[in-house]
């Protein structure tokens, strides 16, 4: 056979080596023409003994050798009694083991499968099968083969095959009937078909443009889109109606009628806040209500067994550490160990880490087991380094469990299996979205102490909600804000300029021989070229920084002449130019090359990583940065090495999860710190030129920050104190619960 050429094979399934219930990804051995062929692809409910016709291309996997990568397959019913016996004996159909399989085939021969599907009552002719069991066996069989019909139907109406798996899991044997009547059901969260795709399918199916189903789908799409892309947990009713009516091209009165019906059905929730109606999908409303109720109950808990002489314990810590805590630090320490809940905030250089370290040690002296966590891996790693106590990501702390096929992140830790600790400290809380924070609270016992640490002046979470700012603004929880810049930190222009920016003052751009530099450049092309020179030559030569691991270019936007798209093109050319010894793979507009710095841009909980010492684990997460070690065209795979020596393998069709990361957006940099940061700011006005974005970018730098571009752009950002409005009602709900 020839690598890369298409082949069509027919044979029986001998072994199922691996199968993912969530994605359908399967590795199996097919007996075709007397040879065993390893086949990989997306299959549903495949079992030993089945006959398949598969189409695809051969590729060589670096670890597992020659494989047929199938992109099409057809299921054939086992035709002979022997094949049927083998198939049923494999356990493919729930309720049939080897002995029962033998008795069924002995009774019905080649007609066994036909009897199971069409005349299950006859199964009772076989010893040991009751009428109830006969019905169960028949239902399992129909379920197993029903998805094939669904896949064919969805393909006809333009819906990609992978969605068929999710549609079958949600709707079962009625999937085709349900979808044919209303293709918009495919837009639900569990399936996730884009509205535009479902809209085209509905049009092809002849559904009227002004149908209830279409307008309802448009309303729900607007809410979901704003949650996923704009950070809103809800929308004001007039805004929702206006946007949805425009999307589906109807009048607001018609849209309002449909909205009322959705509320009556419970598919939408309306909340009146001071006379203004807001609409939620139930999931976000329930999350906000749960957060408010749980925090109110935790706030009112009274701890026991506190340190008898707290002042003496703090003084002993000071003596041991050789420091004297500032008044606000001392207040934070006392509040943390005497209150069930506390929020600790402060900008860079204000001593948050020192206070946290003291809190950890005092709680330990009180016999409390403390868990530390942060939203990102790099933030957790930094927390570990600064406190000397192991910190994990919030997902790891809650033990993420993503393999249930729902498309919704789930955790092993929750109300029935709470975290085994007496105190939880979360750093970078501003990055936590509503759903993740709800999951955290569900895993925390009512008696558990909760300490939230963060900087509300940073950008809010990528996901929906504005948790830290809303909790502070509610005025219902204890908050200690550290404001004093300590002497050592005050020597850093990064720190002092960050505080100037957040106060609305222009940063010093004229300093020399410090850690904050401004290099004026007017033209975008020159900005990109200078950034490349700084990364490739000047900073490694002057400071010994690694272009891959120590230096990070951070830009406000992805687009434009000095956006991350163009910067990555220029930086890739400078740091990792084309080389006949380096293999490449084009994914959309970008070319990935061996040696490239890349970022994972979505959470992948099922991606296996391994280290050279044999340690293995699951999960590569949004924001993880690595380097491409190998592009293997015969096996259609990419090997990426991430921090801590973790290596993960991506198939070519997963390349969309990777982006060049020589330059990243400020939003993608949240929760991370880098030794050196280069911030390109081109002349002109941009909707992304505002104060909190500049502040967030500046505070990503640990040792060196270089602003490259226009001084007027810096001033524009400082003066633009816009706060991106996020529609959420957590502060209102928390106030309602706390005030009774």
């Amino acid at each position: 056979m020839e690598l890369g050429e298409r082949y069509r094979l027919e044979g029986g399934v001998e072994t199922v080596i691996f199968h993912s219930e969530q994605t359908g990804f399967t590795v199996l051995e097919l007996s075709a023409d007397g040879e065993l062929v390893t086949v990989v692809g997306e299959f549903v409910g495949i079992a030993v003994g089945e006959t398949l016709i598969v189409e695809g291309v051969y590729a060589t996997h670096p670890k597992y050798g020659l494989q047929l990568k199938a992109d099409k397959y057809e299921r054939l019913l086992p035709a002979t009694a022997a094949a049927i016996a083998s198939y049923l004996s494999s356990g493919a159909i729930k309720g049939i083991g080897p002995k029962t399989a033998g008795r069924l085939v002995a009774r019905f021969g080649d007609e066994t499968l036909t009897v199971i599907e069409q005349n299950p009552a006859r199964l009772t002719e076989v010893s040991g099968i009751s009428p109830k069991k006969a019905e169960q066996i028949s239902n399992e069989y129909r379920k197993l083969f029903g998805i094939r019909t669904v896949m064919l139907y969805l393909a006809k109406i333009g819906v990609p095959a992978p969605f068929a798996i999710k549609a079958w899991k949600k709707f079962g044997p009625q999937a085709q009937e349900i979808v044919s009547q209303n293709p918009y059901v495919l837009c639900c969260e569990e399936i996730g078909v884009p509205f535009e795709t479902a809209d085209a399918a509905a049009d092809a199916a002849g559904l009227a443009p002004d149908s209830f189903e279409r307008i309802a789908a448009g309303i729900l799409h607007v809410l979901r889109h704003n949650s996923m892309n704009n950070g809103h947990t809800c929308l004001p009713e007039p805004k929702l109606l206006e946007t949805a009516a425009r999307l589906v091209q109807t009048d607001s009165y018609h849209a309002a009628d449909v909205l009322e019906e959705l509320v009556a059905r419970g598919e939408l929730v309306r909340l009146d806040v001071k006379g203004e109606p807001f609409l939620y999908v139930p999931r976000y409303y329930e999350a906000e209500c749960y957060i408010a109720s749980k925090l109110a109950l935790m706030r009112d808990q009274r701890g026991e067994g506190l340190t008898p002489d707290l002042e003496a314990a703090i003084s002993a810590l000071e003596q041991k550490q050789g420091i004297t805590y500032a008044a606000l630090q001392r207040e934070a320490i006392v509040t943390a160990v005497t209150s069930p809940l506390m929020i600790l905030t402060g900008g860079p250089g204000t001593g948050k880490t020192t206070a946290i370290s003291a809190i950890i040690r005092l709680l330990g002296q009180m016999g409390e087991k403390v868990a530390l966590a942060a939203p990102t891996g790099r933030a957790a790693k930094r927390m570990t380094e600064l406190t000397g106590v192991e910190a994990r990501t919030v997902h790891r702390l809650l033990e993420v469990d993503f393999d249930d096929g729902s498309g919704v992140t789930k955790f092993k830790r929750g109300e029935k299996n709470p975290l085994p600790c007496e105190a939880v400290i979360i750093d970078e809380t501003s990055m936590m979205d509503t759903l993740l924070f709800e999951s955290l609270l569900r895993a925390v016992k009512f008696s558990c102490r909760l300490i939230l640490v963060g900087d509300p002046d940073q950008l809010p979470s990528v996901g929906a909600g504005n948790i830290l700012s809303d909790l502070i603004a509610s005025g219902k929880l204890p908050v200690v804000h550290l404001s004093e810049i300590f002497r050592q930190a005050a020597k850093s222009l990064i720190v002092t300029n960050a505080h100037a920016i957040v106060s609305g003052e222009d940063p010093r751009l004229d300093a020399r021989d410090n850690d904050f530099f401004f290099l004026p450049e007017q033209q975008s092309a020159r900005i990109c070229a200078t950034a490349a020179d700084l990364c490739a030559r000047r900073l490694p030569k002057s400071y010994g920084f690694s272009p891959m691991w120590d230096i990070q270019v951070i830009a406000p936007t992805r687009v434009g002449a000095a956006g991350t798209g163009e910067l990555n093109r220029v930086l890739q050319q400078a740091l990792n130019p084309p080389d006949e010894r380096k293999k490449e793979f084009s994914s959309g507009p970008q070319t990935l090359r061996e040696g490239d710095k890349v970022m994972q841009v979505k959470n992948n909980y099922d991606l296996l990583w391994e280290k050279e010492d044999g340690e293995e684990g699951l999960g590569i997460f949004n924001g993880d940065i690595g380097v491409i070690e190998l592009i293997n065209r015969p096996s259609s795979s990419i090997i990426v090495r991430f921090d801590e020596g973790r290596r993960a393998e991506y198939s070519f069709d997963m390349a969309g999860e990777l982006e060049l990361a020589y330059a990243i957006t400020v939003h993608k940099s949240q929760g991370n710190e880098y030794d050196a940061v280069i911030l390109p700011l081109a002349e002109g006005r941009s909707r992304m030129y505002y104060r909190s974005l500049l502040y967030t970018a500046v505070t990503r730098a640990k040792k060196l920050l270089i602003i490259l571009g226009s001084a007027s752009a810096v001033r524009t950002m400082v003066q633009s104190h816009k706060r991106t409005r996020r529609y959420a009602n957590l502060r209102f709900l928390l106030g309602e619960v706390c005030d009774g």
Side-chain angles (χ1 to χ4, degrees):
M1 74 281 297
E2 296 291 330
L3 297 180
E5 286 193 12
R6 291 193 65 80
Y7 287 84
R8 188 173 189 269
L9 299 179
E10 178 179 335
V13 178
E14 293 288 328
T15 311
V16 178
I17 299 170
F18 174 81
H19 176 70
S20 168
E21 286 289 337
Q22 181 195 343
T23 64
F25 179 76
T26 304
V27 181
L28 56 84
E29 287 185 325
L30 197 73
S31 178
D33 299 325
E35 293 186 6
L36 279 180
V37 180
T38 302
V39 180
V40 299
E42 291 181 351
F43 298 90
V44 179
I46 296 296
V48 172
E50 284 194 74
T51 300
L52 299 179
I53 298 175
V54 297
E55 291 186 38
V57 298
Y58 278 101
T60 303
H61 190 281
K63 190 172 182 178
Y64 303 110
L66 192 67
Q67 301 176 335
L68 182 78
K69 301 191 73 170
D71 51 32
K72 290 184 181 178
Y73 79 97
E74 182 180 349
R75 227 165 179 159
L76 302 178
L77 294 176
T80 67
I84 293 170
S86 175
Y87 169 66
L88 294 178
S89 297
S90 71
I93 299 175
K94 190 176 178 181
I96 300 179
K99 289 182 179 179
T100 304
R103 289 198 292 266
L104 284 167
V105 174
R107 177 67 181 88
F108 301 115
D110 296 354
E111 300 298 312
T112 301
L113 297 182
T114 303
V115 172
I116 291 174
E117 182 181 19
Q118 300 178 11
N119 196 3
R122 289 196 61 195
L123 298 180
T124 60
E125 298 171 17
V126 174
S127 174
I129 299 181
S130 65
K132 184 178 179 180
K133 187 173 180 179
E135 191 65 29
Q136 289 174 340
I137 289 171
S138 183
N139 289 339
E140 285 292 328
Y141 178 83
R142 290 168 184 163
K143 174 183 174 182
L144 198 59
F145 283 87
I147 194 167
R148 178 175 58 179
T149 308
V150 177
M151 291 180 75
L152 289 171
Y153 172 74
L154 290 181
K156 283 182 184 177
I157 62 174
V159 178
F163 291 113
I165 299 170
K166 297 177 181 179
W168 177 264
K169 285 181 176 179
K170 182 169 179 63
F171 301 121
Q174 290 78 42
Q176 183 176 342
E177 181 183 355
I178 292 171
V179 173
S180 64
Q181 293 176 358
N182 179 14
Y184 296 106
V185 298
L186 297 170
C187 297
C188 68
E189 188 175 18
E190 297 94 329
I191 302 173
V193 171
F195 175 80
E196 295 76 14
T197 303
D199 205 30
D203 184 58
L207 206 66
D210 61 350
S211 66
F212 172 88
E213 291 80 8
R214 183 169 186 264
I215 296 171
I219 292 171
L220 291 168
H221 168 74
V222 170
L223 270 176
R224 291 175 182 137
H225 174 81
N226 275 279
S227 295
M228 293 177 63
N229 297 287
N230 298 326
H232 306 307
T233 64
C234 56
L235 286 176
E237 187 167 324
K239 187 178 183 71
L240 173 60
L241 284 174
E242 179 189 352
T243 308
R246 190 165 58 247
L247 173 68
V248 299
Q249 297 179 314
T250 190
D251 59 79
S252 57
Y253 297 103
H254 199 176
D257 289 340
V258 174
L259 186 146
E260 288 300 329
E261 179 63 22
L262 289 172
V263 172
R265 292 182 179 186
E267 294 182 55
L268 289 180
V269 179
R270 179 185 281 115
L271 175 68
D272 285 314
V273 179
K274 300 177 180 177
E276 185 178 6
F278 289 84
L279 274 300
Y280 291 80
V281 294
R283 190 175 176 214
Y284 281 101
Y285 175 73
E286 292 162 3
E288 286 192 353
C289 288
Y290 182 87
I291 291 169
S293 300
K294 183 70 173 277
L295 288 177
L297 289 168
M298 291 178 68
R299 185 193 69 163
D300 295 334
Q301 294 289 313
R302 294 289 179 264
E304 298 179 0
L306 297 178
T307 302
D309 190 347
L310 194 52
E311 288 298 322
I314 294 174
S315 297
L317 268 179
E318 288 178 319
Q319 188 174 359
K320 187 175 181 180
Q321 301 293 325
I323 58 175
T324 301
Y325 298 121
L328 284 172
Q329 285 180 314
R330 183 175 285 264
E331 181 185 341
I333 296 166
V334 172
T335 304
V337 300
T338 58
S339 303
L341 280 173
M342 186 191 74
I343 298 173
L344 175 62
T345 73
T350 57
K352 289 196 302 291
T353 301
T354 301
I356 293 168
S357 296
I359 292 165
I360 293 169
R361 282 158 179 76
L362 281 177
L363 293 178
Q365 292 175 19
M366 295 160 55
E368 294 188 11
K369 183 180 179 182
V370 183
L372 274 65
T376 69
R378 291 178 75 102
K381 185 180 179 182
R382 186 178 76 248
M383 198 178 187
T384 300
E385 293 169 349
L386 293 174
T387 64
V389 179
E390 183 187 2
R392 290 173 282 177
T393 65
V394 176
H395 284 83
R396 297 262 182 233
L397 178 71
L398 301 181
E399 300 177 29
V400 67
D401 184 19
F402 198 72
D403 197 27
D404 70 344
S406 69
V408 178
T409 309
K410 296 185 182 295
F411 301 97
K412 294 178 182 177
R413 294 291 179 182
E415 290 169 317
K416 294 181 179 178
N417 183 30
L419 291 168
C421 55
E422 289 75 45
V424 173
I425 301 176
I426 304 294
D427 197 13
E428 299 284 357
T429 306
S430 62
M431 294 185 65
M432 292 194 71
D433 62 44
T434 299
L435 297 182
L436 183 58
F437 192 65
E438 179 204 16
S439 296
L440 172 71
L441 290 185
R442 288 189 181 279
V444 170
K445 294 176 286 191
F446 282 107
S447 59
C448 185
R449 195 185 306 276
L450 181 62
I451 299 165
L452 304 175
V453 184
D455 185 350
D457 294 313
Q458 301 280 350
L459 292 172
S461 60
V462 174
N466 200 2
I467 292 294
L468 183 63
S469 292
D470 282 351
L471 293 181
I472 294 171
S474 74
K476 303 301 178 182
L477 304 177
V479 179
V480 178
H481 179 71
L482 303 181
S483 54
E484 180 185 347
I485 304 174
F486 287 90
R487 187 182 306 168
Q488 187 173 352
K491 298 177 182 177
S492 164
L493 266 182
I494 293 174
V495 172
T496 55
N497 276 341
H499 284 271
I501 290 166
V502 86
S503 301
E505 302 170 8
D506 290 338
R508 285 186 58 193
L509 302 180
D510 58 351
R512 294 289 184 268
D513 299 324
N514 206 293
D515 55 4
F516 188 113
F517 297 91
F518 173 71
L519 301 181
E521 288 286 359
Q522 297 303 315
Q523 297 181 344
S524 296
R526 287 296 307 156
I527 290 175
C528 293
T530 304
D533 187 47
L534 286 165
C535 290
R537 184 180 64 85
R538 292 164 63 176
L539 296 187
K541 181 180 178 181
S542 299
Y543 297 90
F545 291 145
S546 162
M548 290 295 178
W549 301 108
D550 300 330
I551 306 170
Q552 186 60 62
V553 178
I554 300 175
T557 65
R558 296 171 63 91
V559 299
T564 59
E566 178 62 15
L567 282 163
N568 272 315
R569 186 190 68 78
V570 174
L571 288 162
Q572 184 188 43
Q573 184 64 32
L575 296 171
N576 190 35
D579 188 317
E580 62 182 12
R581 294 167 296 180
K582 294 182 178 181
K583 294 183 282 296
E584 298 180 352
F585 175 73
S586 294
S587 175
Q590 69 178 355
T591 296
L592 301 176
R593 183 176 299 130
E594 290 176 345
D596 272 337
K597 182 179 182 179
V598 292
M599 172 181 280
Q600 175 77 12
V601 295
K602 61 177 289 188
N603 289 330
N604 188 329
Y605 302 96
D606 294 326
L607 188 57
L608 177 70
W609 55 260
E610 48 188 358
K611 298 182 180 181
E612 288 185 352
D613 61 5
E615 181 186 350
E616 293 185 344
L618 286 175
I620 301 293
F621 301 104
N622 188 2
D624 284 354
I625 289 178
V627 173
I628 296 177
E629 287 195 336
L630 176 68
I631 296 176
N632 192 319
R633 285 204 164 276
S635 68
S636 302
S637 63
I638 302 169
I639 307 296
V640 181
R641 176 171 58 88
F642 293 94
D643 58 0
E644 300 176 341
R646 298 174 299 153
R647 285 178 171 83
E649 180 181 348
Y650 295 74
S651 60
F652 280 178
D653 60 0
M654 296 168 62
E657 296 185 16
L658 298 171
E659 289 183 359
L660 292 175
Y662 301 104
I664 62 176
T665 64
V666 179
H667 284 85
K668 286 292 186 184
S669 74
Q670 285 178 266
N672 298 326
E673 285 187 342
Y674 312 91
D675 283 347
V677 168
I678 299 169
L679 177 60
L681 294 177
E683 183 68 67
R685 301 192 70 85
S686 166
R687 66 182 183 87
M688 302 303 293
Y689 279 13
Y690 53 94
R691 188 186 300 173
S692 62
L693 190 125
L694 177 61
Y695 175 72
T696 300
V698 168
T699 54
R700 298 309 90 200
K702 291 195 291 185
K703 298 178 180 178
L704 179 68
L705 175 78
I706 298 174
I707 295 181
L708 180 59
S710 164
S712 66
V714 176
R715 286 192 292 272
T716 296
M717 295 180 80
V718 172
Q719 292 163 10
S720 177
H721 190 36
K722 81 162 192 174
R723 287 278 185 180
T724 303
R725 176 69 191 273
R726 288 200 164 187
Y727 294 110
N729 291 304
L730 177 58
R731 69 176 74 175
F732 168 78
L733 290 167
L734 185 58
E736 290 285 293
V737 176
C738 290
D739 294 340

